[in-house]
Amino acid sequence: MNAIVAVSENWGIGYRNQLLFHISPDMRRFQAITLGKTVILGRKTLESLPGGVPLSGRETILLSTTPGIQVKGALICKNVEELLECAKGRDPDSLFVIGGASVYQALLSHCRRVFVTQVKARPDADRFFPDLDALPDWEQEEAGLWEVFESLTYRYLTYRRADAACLLGK
């Protein structure tokens, strides 16, 4: 399992149920990485997507405790244990956690890699991704060059879990 996220300098990811950044090249990268794969997300993240529906070209697993929730085109899991059971037998590199904050928090320990878009900015944020630089079990594997889109400076980073071999194929 992997995660993909765009973060501010202080690891902010959202404000009032909206993404902090809209960087077209990053959106294209997100699509290229996740197309044909399985995305795992929470209800609020789903609601923030265009039309509030699953992304096309991807299998969707919704992690939600909302009673009776039904989403056309999505597999619903009520808790992490149920989600991990659903993920069994799937290629772990085809699973991508895409948000929100509580879903990232719940599943980060099951991830092998995190694909980060780091933006040199500190807008107001009320949702955050864990600071991977401060976590001893994560190490930066790749760091791209800084790029600029409109007024935003950003780069792509890949973090690898230091003990990824012990995740039993998750």
Side-chain angles (χ1 to χ4, degrees):
M1 186 179 304
N2 303 293
I4 187 165
V5 64
V7 303
S8 65
E9 291 175 314
N10 61 342
W11 296 87
I13 61 171
Y15 185 67
R16 296 185 179 168
N17 206 33
Q18 296 295 316
L19 293 174
L20 295 180
F21 309 106
H22 296 279
I23 301 171
S24 293
D26 181 48
M27 297 293 189
R28 286 190 295 274
R29 176 178 178 259
F30 172 87
Q31 181 176 12
I33 289 173
T34 63
L35 201 60
K37 307 287 187 348
T38 299
V39 293
I40 301 165
L41 66 159
R43 180 187 52 80
K44 289 180 184 177
T45 298
L46 177 68
E47 290 171 356
S48 75
L49 296 176
V53 298
L55 296 168
S56 64
R58 299 156 189 92
E59 182 178 7
T60 299
I61 299 176
L62 182 68
L63 181 60
S64 177
T65 58
T66 303
I69 189 168
Q70 293 181 356
V71 177
K72 185 177 179 180
L75 177 63
I76 312 294
C77 294
K78 297 178 190 120
N79 55 51
V80 171
E81 294 75 24
E82 190 176 315
L83 185 140
L84 294 175
E85 191 61 35
C86 287
K88 273 188 181 170
R90 297 173 191 249
D91 175 5
D93 289 328
S94 73
L95 301 168
F96 284 87
V97 181
I98 66 168
S102 62
V103 176
Y104 285 130
Q105 189 70 39
L107 295 174
L108 186 61
S109 65
H110 300 281
C111 291
R112 298 190 316 182
R113 282 200 166 72
V114 180
F115 298 87
V116 175
T117 302
Q118 179 186 51
V119 183
K120 275 191 181 180
R122 282 187 183 249
D124 288 340
D126 57 11
R127 297 292 180 262
F128 294 86
F129 192 87
D131 179 349
L132 297 178
D133 293 321
L135 298 176
D137 49 342
W138 289 92
E139 56 194 22
Q140 198 176 104
E141 182 176 52
E142 293 180 50
L145 299 175
W146 290 101
E147 301 178 39
V148 177
F149 175 77
E150 295 179 353
S151 62
L152 295 171
T153 301
Y154 67 98
R155 67 178 175 169
Y156 301 124
L157 305 169
T158 304
Y159 286 82
R160 180 175 63 84
R161 198 175 163 81
D163 61 350
C166 77
L167 289 179
L168 304 174
K170 291 183 181 141

